[in-house]
Amino acid sequence: MNDSSKKESPSPARHTDTRVVTAGRDPASYHGFVNPPVYHASTVLYPSAEDFLAHRARYQYGRRGTPTTEALEGALAELEGPQCAGVSLVPSGLAAISTALLSVVKAGDHVLVTDSAYGPTRTYCDQILSRFGVTTSYYDPLLGTGIAEHFRDNTRAVYLESPGSLSFEMQDVATIAKAAHDKGALVLMDNTWATPLYYRPLDHGVDLAIQAGTKYIGGHSDVMLGTISANAATVAALKNTVRLSGLCEGPDDVYLGLRGLRTLSVRLERHFKSGIAVARWLEQRPEVLRLLHPALPGHPGHALWKRDFTGASGLFSMVLKPVPQKAVFAFLDTLTLFGIGASWGGYESLAIPFDCAPIRTATRWAPGGPTVRFHIGLEAVDDLVADLERGFAALAAASA
Ligand SMILES: *Cc1c(COP(=O)(O)O)cnc(C)c1O
C-alpha cells in the first residue's frame, strides 16, 4: 500500500486550513501524484457506437468538464460549506457575474443591484440585460430591512457586494437575503474580497456566490478565472446556463487556480495582517482624512464585519485631505513597491487613484478628498511603509 491508495474524503470536522490542502484531491486516480494532471481536451473517445449514442461515459467532451476542472470545482464546493450544491468555473470574474445573473433572470424581470457594485457589473446590467427586457435599479448598500421598499412585483434577484468595490461599505447580507426571500427573489453576491475562507455567503442566505478567481485564488497575477457557487435552489439553473452558453475555462488556468488555492490560507493571513498594519500606519498620517477598511474599529461597517467575517484581505482605500490632483499623482508615481494597475489579490502591492462619483446613482460619493485604493501584497511591512513615506514627501513637495 502506498499513499495513493488513501482516498481523501471530505470531513465536516476539519479546519478550513486543512480543507484548503485536502479539498478536491484524489491522488489514487493519478498514480499517486499529489496533483491532478492538466487535461488538454476536446474529444473523448467512446468504446463503441452504442456507448457514444447513449452518452455512456464518465466524461463526454472537453467543454463539459475534465478531471482538472472537477478538482477545482470540488475543492471550492467544499470550502463554500454545506449549503453549496455545485460550483461552475468560467473564464473571468466578470463572466461569473454575467453568468450568475443570466442564470436567474428572464425578460420582464427586475434586478436590484447595490450602488457599490464593481463598475463592470453595472455596465453589464445597463447595457446587456436591458437589451433583453431585464431592468436594473440600484440601492444604497447601507440599507438593511429598508431594502424591502425597493422590491417590485417583478423583482427576481438582489445583487450584493460586501465590502463594496473601491468604497468598502459593509452590507447586512442576512437581513437583505431574508427580505429578498420573503419577496420570492433570489440573492447573488460578489464575494471576491473575502473569499469563502473569511466569509461563506451561502451560510448567510445567499443563493449564488461569485468570485473573481483572478484575484486571491490565483494569487499570482497570472490567471483570469471566475467561479460561481450555487445552493440547491439555483444549482440546476446555473449548470444549465453555463453548459448551454458554451462556457468553459482553459485547463492551464484551472490548474493555476487549483495551485493558488492550496496556499490561499497562508497568503490571506499575511495579506490580512500586513493590510491592517499598513492601514493603521496610514491612519496616523497628517495627510490622511480616513481609511476605508472594515476591519479597523473606526469604520462604519466594522460591527457587521466583526459579526460576519473571520478575516480581512489586503485590499482597502484611503481618503486624503484635499490636495491638488498633481500631488496625488506625485505620491503614486514615487512609490516603487506599489505598482499602478488594475486587479489585485496577487503577491505584490498595488495603489491606484479612483473616483466612484461618476458611477453612483442611488447614493452620492463625496468622501471629502482624493481617494487611493491599496492592495497590500506579501512584501515586508517596513519596506512598504518606507515606500509610502517617500510618497508622502513627494505629495508634500507637489502640494507646496
Ligand atoms: C476584478 C473584480 C471582478 C472581475 O474579475 P475579472 O476576473 O477581472 O473579470 C469582479 N468583482 C470584483 C469585486 C473584482 O474586484
Side-chain angles (χ1 to χ4, degrees), residues 92-94 97 118 161 165 190 192 212 214-215 224-225 344:
S92 71
L94 183 55
I97 292 163
Y118 177 63
E161 184 176 334
S165 264
D190 186 329
T192 302
T214 307
K215 310 289 166 58
M224 300 297 301
L225 179 66
W344 45 276

Side-chain angles (χ1 to χ4, degrees), residues 41-372:
S42 55
T43 301
V44 178
L45 300 176
Y46 292 71
S48 72
E50 193 190 323
D51 286 320
F52 178 75
L53 283 183
H55 307 292
R56 205 176 293 134
R58 172 76 177 80
Y59 298 98
Q60 299 180 347
Y61 186 47
R63 196 178 63 217
R64 302 282 301 267
T66 68
T68 317
T69 60
E70 285 185 1
L72 180 54
E73 288 172 355
L76 288 168
E78 192 181 326
L79 294 171
E80 292 282 9
Q83 299 301 318
C84 186
V87 171
S88 288
L89 305 176
V90 291
S92 71
L94 183 55
I97 292 163
S98 63
T99 304
L101 283 162
L102 263 189
S103 67
V104 300
V105 296
K106 64 179 184 316
D109 285 346
H110 166 246
V111 292
L112 269 170
V113 174
T114 176
D115 214 27
S116 56
Y118 177 63
T121 303
R122 302 176 68 111
T123 313
Y124 181 80
C125 293
D126 295 343
Q127 296 190 18
I128 305 286
L129 290 185
S130 61
R131 284 172 36 215
F132 299 92
V134 176
T135 53
T136 303
S137 62
Y138 296 91
Y139 67 91
D140 183 341
L142 302 182
L143 284 179
T145 51
I147 188 85
E149 293 161 29
H150 294 258
F151 284 86
R152 303 175 187 171
D153 290 343
N154 60 341
T155 303
R156 177 64 181 145
V158 184
Y159 186 98
L160 298 90
E161 184 176 334
S162 185
S165 264
L166 301 166
S167 50
F168 298 91
E169 298 92 339
M170 291 297 298
Q171 297 197 257
D172 188 342
V173 180
T175 297
I176 294 174
K178 180 169 186 318
H181 291 153
D182 285 349
K183 303 271 181 188
L186 293 166
V187 182
L188 283 64
M189 177 176 174
D190 186 329
N191 190 42
T192 302
W193 186 82
T195 85
L197 268 59
Y198 288 164
Y199 185 70
R200 296 201 316 206
L202 304 181
D203 289 349
H204 300 263
V206 171
D207 297 294
L208 285 165
I210 295 151
Q211 287 183 85
T214 307
K215 310 289 166 58
Y216 282 120
I217 294 176
H220 296 72
S221 305
D222 56 1
V223 61
M224 300 297 301
L225 179 66
T227 79
I228 312 159
S229 307
N231 65 11
T234 55
V235 69
L238 172 69
K239 291 283 173 186
N240 212 33
T241 303
V242 170
R243 188 164 64 86
L244 299 182
S245 302
L247 290 165
C248 61
E249 170 72 4
D252 291 309
D253 289 344
V254 173
Y255 186 81
L256 286 174
L258 195 56
R259 193 184 210 273
L261 188 70
R262 300 302 176 205
T263 58
L264 181 60
S265 181
V266 282
R267 284 186 291 109
L268 271 182
E269 206 174 301
R270 175 70 87 84
H271 287 296
F272 179 16
K273 205 168 127 218
S274 300
I276 293 276
V278 173
R280 284 193 190 284
W281 181 83
L282 286 167
E283 210 174 22
Q284 306 305 317
R285 291 289 307 192
E287 301 89 344
V288 175
L289 193 59
R290 62 202 162 93
L291 268 293
L292 308 178
H293 190 318
L296 292 183
H299 189 271
H302 183 66
L304 281 175
W305 175 79
K306 234 178 139 164
R307 184 191 75 181
D308 292 346
F309 288 53
T310 53
S313 61
L315 192 79
F316 62 85
S317 292
M318 163 181 84
V319 184
L320 287 163
K321 290 177 183 162
V323 283
Q325 190 181 56
K326 69 173 172 37
V328 181
F329 288 177
F331 170 80
L332 292 169
D333 293 346
T334 299
L335 301 176
T336 56
L337 288 175
F338 290 82
I340 301 170
S343 203
W344 45 276
Y347 53 80
E348 82 290 12
S349 290
L350 299 166
I352 53 164
F354 71 91
D355 179 13
C356 295
I359 62 166
R360 292 291 170 117
T361 53
T363 56
R364 207 167 79 85
W365 175 251
T371 42
V372 172

